Amino acid sequence: GAGVSQSPSNKVTEKGKDVELRCDPISGHTALYWYRQSLGQGLEFLIYFQGNSAPDKSGLPSDRFSAERTGGSVSTLTIQRTQQEDSAVYLCASSLGGRGVSYNEQFFGPGTRLTVL
Amino acid sequence: AQSVAQPEDQVNVAEGNPLTVKCTYSVSGNPYLFWYVQYPNRGLQFLLKYITGDNLVKGSYGFEAEFNKSQTSFHLKKPSALVSDSALYFCAVRAEYGNKLVFGAGTILRVKS
């Protein structure tokens, strides 16, 4: 079946602009995660959605970052007033939810490479 | 807070030889441990996980990992390496009731023919 998809695959923007990154999780997966992968920081957790529960936003690096998940499916990560240090690959992952959400493996999308000039 | 250490930035091994990629972790309570592999310009792929039970876990592509609670380790192993195993490998841990999957810095595996 279809895996996790992300769009765009590449995004180049100018410092100060806003960007939106999209994630389409695997159908039926109620848990959705965003991560950031950069050379200096490795893989960082950003935010976690599980069903209708309030998202865990503890990994968002600043208030310029926000994310929403509409209808329990598609998610959008928004970065406002982008800075050069936001340049990274943004990865989305989804997994089955429920009681086993902590040990269900996550399936990752191919990522969006963001470059802020 | 959880953490993962992958002490080797790179591991080099000859094709056909056994390989080990090391991982140690720190977490409160029971750990859920994972290995992922990343090929160039591709997303992360799940290899295997430890939840509970048998300390030796078998996964995809002939990989296995051994959970050692006393040493807080979860080393990835394969009896006979292939050139196609060359990639970036990540170990990750999640606390039993936690939301966050925490990754190690990654280890580059190079298998030479």
Side-chain angles (χ1 to χ4, degrees), chain A residues 43-56:
Chain A
L43 264 160
E44 302 170 81
F45 164 83
L46 296 178
I47 189 168
Y48 161 57
F49 296 91
Q50 166 55 23
N52 295 322
S53 302
D56 179 348

Side-chain angles (χ1 to χ4, degrees), chain B residues 31-78:
Chain B
Y32 297 136
L33 295 155
F34 303 81
W35 276 101
Y36 285 85
V37 60
Q38 187 174 35
Y39 297 99
N41 300 316
R42 294 175 65 178
L44 276 73
Q45 295 179 36
F46 168 77
L47 276 181
L48 50 78
K49 66 182 177 183
Y50 172 83
I51 304 172
T52 187
D54 195 348
N55 289 341
L56 185 65
V57 178
K58 294 188 182 296
S60 307
Y61 312 119
F63 284 93
E64 57 190 30
E66 186 165 13
F67 172 65
N68 187 314
K69 187 173 183 178
S70 63
Q71 297 185 5
T72 61
S73 67
F74 190 54
H75 301 330
L76 182 70
K77 301 181 180 185
K78 187 174 182 181

Side-chain angles (χ1 to χ4, degrees), chain A residues 33 37 56 102-103 105-106, chain B residues 36 38 49 94 96 99:
Chain A
Y33 307 79
Q37 185 174 20
D56 179 348
S102 290
Y103 55 74
E105 58 267 31
Q106 296 176 24
Chain B
Y36 285 85
Q38 187 174 35
K49 66 182 177 183
R94 185 169 181 171
E96 186 174 6
N99 291 338

Side-chain angles (χ1 to χ4, degrees), chain A residues 69-106:
Chain A
R69 188 177 186 191
T70 53
S73 180
V74 171
S75 177
T76 303
L77 177 69
T78 301
I79 309 173
Q80 295 178 310
R81 306 180 302 281
T82 53
Q83 303 295 312
Q84 288 183 332
E85 60 262 28
D86 299 335
S87 296
V89 176
Y90 289 82
L91 295 169
C92 176
S94 70
S95 76
L96 293 171
R99 294 181 63 186
V101 66
S102 290
Y103 55 74
N104 290 328
E105 58 267 31
Q106 296 176 24

Side-chain angles (χ1 to χ4, degrees), chain B residues 10-25:
Chain B
Q10 184 166 317
V11 170
N12 298 310
V13 65
E15 187 175 33
N17 283 1
L19 69 87
T20 298
V21 182
K22 295 180 181 176
C23 170
T24 58
Y25 66 91

Side-chain angles (χ1 to χ4, degrees), chain A residues 15-37:
Chain A
K15 178 181 172 180
K17 301 282 190 184
D18 298 351
V19 295
E20 283 191 354
L21 312 180
R22 178 188 167 103
C23 171
D24 282 89
I26 292 172
S27 177
H29 281 188
T30 59
L32 187 146
Y33 307 79
W34 283 96
Y35 296 87
R36 179 168 70 174
Q37 185 174 20

